[in-house]
Amino acid sequence: MMKRLVVVLSLCLAPNAFAADDVVDVWKAKCKSCHGDDGKAKTKMGQKESLADMSQPAWQAAVTDTDIRQMIADGSPRNTKMKPFKEKLTAAQIDALVGYIRTLKAK
Ligand code: HEC
């Protein structure tokens, strides 16, 4: 009885767990080198380009989800180092990244 419950539970939880793993992997593979593990941009590129600290509540409040999505999809109109990712990532991955960036906000 208990065993069956565990199996059912893990089947229910699995898709979400995969989605979360996937977005973290994408962040690590494609974003972390400049924006850092935690979005604080304590990286060489972050310093050189004075990148925003995404954990700051003020930054989080200043940008909309649409701004973030557009920046990821189309890249920055001001700085070619922030490349467009729309050819490299699916719309679902970009949406997941927007959600992930929101989780970086300092508590
Ligand atoms: C090669 C370095 C580099 C990588 C890799 C990179 N970025 Fe950026 N990113 C930048 C730079 C530089 C800017 C600043 C652009 C500007 O000032 O207009 C930026 C800006 C941003 C912004 C807007 C920040 C603000 O201040 O409004 C977001 C959101 C963002 N990046 C998300 C991502 C995501 C998500 C990824 C991974 C898919 C990523 N970046 C990968 C360099 C990078």
Side-chain angles (χ1 to χ4, degrees):
M1 171 59 191
M2 202 50 205
K3 213 174 215 168
R4 179 172 289 171
L5 188 64
V6 170
V7 171
V8 170
L9 265 180
S10 42
L11 282 176
C12 294
L13 295 174
N16 288 327
F18 278 130
D21 281 352
D22 186 51
V23 70
V24 173
D25 286 348
V26 172
W27 178 268
K28 288 195 170 140
K30 304 205 187 293
C31 318
K32 181 186 146 176
S33 60
C34 299
H35 292 284
D37 238 337
D38 47 11
K40 292 183 182 168
K42 297 212 173 354
T43 62
K44 265 197 188 134
M45 179 70 77
Q47 282 183 333
K48 208 170 117 204
E49 304 294 333
S50 323
L51 288 189
D53 175 350
M54 293 176 178
S55 75
Q56 285 300 312
W59 181 85
Q60 289 278 347
V63 293
T64 64
D65 287 358
T66 308
D67 295 335
I68 300 177
R69 195 176 293 115
Q70 193 174 351
M71 182 64 86
I72 301 170
D74 299 330
S76 170
R78 298 173 297 271
N79 189 329
T80 54
K81 299 216 166 68
M82 179 63 206
K83 297 203 170 61
F85 284 91
K86 61 171 178 270
E87 311 284 325
K88 300 199 170 82
L89 298 172
T90 64
Q93 284 176 314
I94 294 177
D95 281 346
L97 281 168
V98 175
Y100 182 71
I101 287 173
R102 291 306 187 188
T103 71
L104 299 173
K105 181 174 170 181
K107 309 272 154 19

